[in-house]
Every structure is written in C-alpha cells, then in structure tokens.
Amino acid sequence: MTKYAIIVAGGKGTRFGSDMPKQFLLLNNTPVLMHTINRFAQCDCNIIVVLPEAQIDLWKQLCSQHSFTTSHTIVAGGSTRFHSVKNAIDTITPAENDLIAVHDGVRPLVNKCIIDEAFCVAASHGSAVPAIEVTDSIRQLNGDNDSSQALLRSSLRAVQTPQTFQATLLKSAYDTPFSDAFTDDASVVEAAGHSITLTKGSPNNIKITHSIDLLIAEEILKNE
C-alpha cells in the first residue's frame, strides 16, 4: 500500500493585504507551506505539492533560501481547486490498496494523529474526512437573502482536511466535469455516489485565511 498526500497551495494572500501568497508567508520564520509538508513527511507519504504555475519558481527560490530539502513533487495547478487536485491525481497510477489524502497547504498545524487516523479509516471505509463540532450559532439565508432560519447546531460539523480516500475511488470520482457544487473533495466523492465517513478533527488544525490566523498559529506552535 502506498500513501499519497496531495497538498493544494493556490492562495494569493489578498485577504492579508499582501502581495505574497499566504502559503509563503512566514510562520516562526519558516514559510507556512514548509510546515505543512513536514507534517506529512512524518507519516511516510509520497508528497505532491500543487502550486499555480506562476508561483513555482518563487517556491523553488524559497526552498533554496530556507535550505528546505523535504522530498516532494511539484505539480502545476488549474483554474479551480477541483482542477488543481485533478492535475495531481492524474500523475498517480494507483494500485488497488493505495490511499490519497488531499490537504490545504495553509493548514500547517495538522497533527500526525489526524493524518494517521484518516489513512486508517479510509483504508477500511473508503473515505475519511476530519470534522469538528460547530460552536457558533448558524443561520441559513433564504432565497431572497432578506430572511433566515436557525439551524440545529448539534447536527452540524465543520469540515477540515486532510480528506482521505481509497485512491482508485478518488481517481474515479474526479473523472467528471467540474460543478460549482464541488466545494471540497468530499463533495466530489459524494456526487459520485459514495458515502463520507467523518473522523475526529482538531480546533488547532486551523486554516490560515486572515492575518490574525498567523498569530494564532504561532501561539499554537509554542504550546505543542
């Protein structure tokens, strides 16, 4: 059995008010994406990093600057996250028992337990998607956006990555035209007729989206 980790890093950093893509911003003096890659390097994975083609040279420069030598393959991304993941999947010719985890490049604090459990559960159930309980109250907008209704918080979960699947299942699911309904890998697999198994995520497995998230990540790293 071979385990693959597809790390999707296509952010532009616009919400930071910065010209530097957010996956390259420094977290404890090291680019965020390097933290992410190193987390998967602990789990005996073949790591594939998906980057916009225009950012590949910059990434190589950063690897040289930071003496980053963790083994990984680079694949050019596509016009959407769906197409970026598909480009990476298309480089894999999976055997029957192989597994693929797909992870956000800007989730640098995922821990080994979450990754290992995802691979284990996906091996036996076909899929494994980490999720956590929702702590905020949630309301759903109606079609006119002028009214809303409360949703039952206890029945909701916030989904994280790595979303992990049997490789042949994921490859088959991605052999379909793009749809706006595809918000993550689980939605692609579900649309292909497969059920999704949830696993335990972590509040520390944050996605770096806003500038304050870097400060939060730094505090989490201090306490690991």
Side-chain angles (χ1 to χ4, degrees):
M1 178 182 71
T2 301
K3 296 182 291 186
Y4 297 89
I6 296 173
I7 299 177
V8 188
K12 298 179 180 178
T14 54
R15 292 175 183 170
F16 286 82
S18 168
D19 293 333
M20 179 66 76
K22 57 187 178 180
Q23 59 269 21
F24 301 152
L25 293 172
L26 297 183
L27 172 60
N28 282 8
N29 298 315
T30 301
V32 166
L33 182 56
M34 294 182 186
H35 288 276
T36 307
I37 292 171
N38 281 335
R39 297 288 171 130
F40 281 87
Q42 300 173 16
C43 301
D44 190 27
C45 302
N46 290 342
I47 299 172
I48 302 170
V49 175
V50 188
L51 289 165
E53 190 165 9
Q55 295 178 9
I56 292 176
D57 284 344
L58 173 57
W59 171 244
K60 290 178 179 179
Q61 292 171 19
L62 289 171
C63 287
S64 176
Q65 179 183 335
H66 291 270
S67 301
F68 185 73
T69 58
T70 303
S71 179
H72 63 283
T73 301
I74 301 172
V75 171
S79 57
T80 68
R81 186 184 189 280
F82 172 91
H83 294 98
S84 293
V85 174
K86 182 172 173 55
N87 285 356
I89 292 173
D90 286 346
T91 68
I92 299 171
T93 303
E96 183 177 353
N97 296 323
D98 290 350
L99 301 168
I100 299 175
V102 185
H103 188 67
D104 298 323
V106 290
R107 287 188 189 269
L109 303 180
V110 63
N111 65 51
K112 188 175 185 297
C113 290
I114 289 176
I115 297 170
D116 286 343
E117 181 181 14
F119 277 123
C120 182
V121 172
S124 57
H125 290 80
S127 66
V129 174
I132 60 173
E133 294 182 353
V134 175
T135 56
D136 293 327
S137 293
I138 302 292
R139 297 191 66 83
Q140 183 177 47
L141 295 176
N142 294 323
D144 54 12
N145 288 348
D146 291 329
S147 60
S148 63
Q149 60 188 31
L151 299 180
L152 184 61
R153 184 171 59 188
S154 62
S155 68
L156 301 173
R157 295 294 181 270
V159 170
Q160 302 179 334
T161 64
Q163 299 187 5
T164 306
F165 306 90
Q166 293 175 359
T168 52
L169 182 155
L170 186 65
K171 193 174 181 74
S172 175
Y174 265 88
D175 188 20
T176 188
F178 171 73
S179 167
D180 288 334
F182 295 155
T183 57
D184 62 0
D185 311 288
S187 59
V188 178
V189 169
E190 193 169 42
H194 304 283
S195 60
I196 301 300
T197 302
L198 297 182
T199 57
K200 186 177 180 181
S202 168
N204 288 354
N205 185 19
I206 64 172
K207 185 176 182 180
I208 306 296
T209 305
H210 303 283
S211 56
I212 193 163
D213 295 327
L214 276 176
L215 299 177
I216 294 170
E218 287 175 0
E219 288 301 313
I220 293 172
L221 279 175
K222 288 178 184 177
N223 291 285
E224 281 191 338

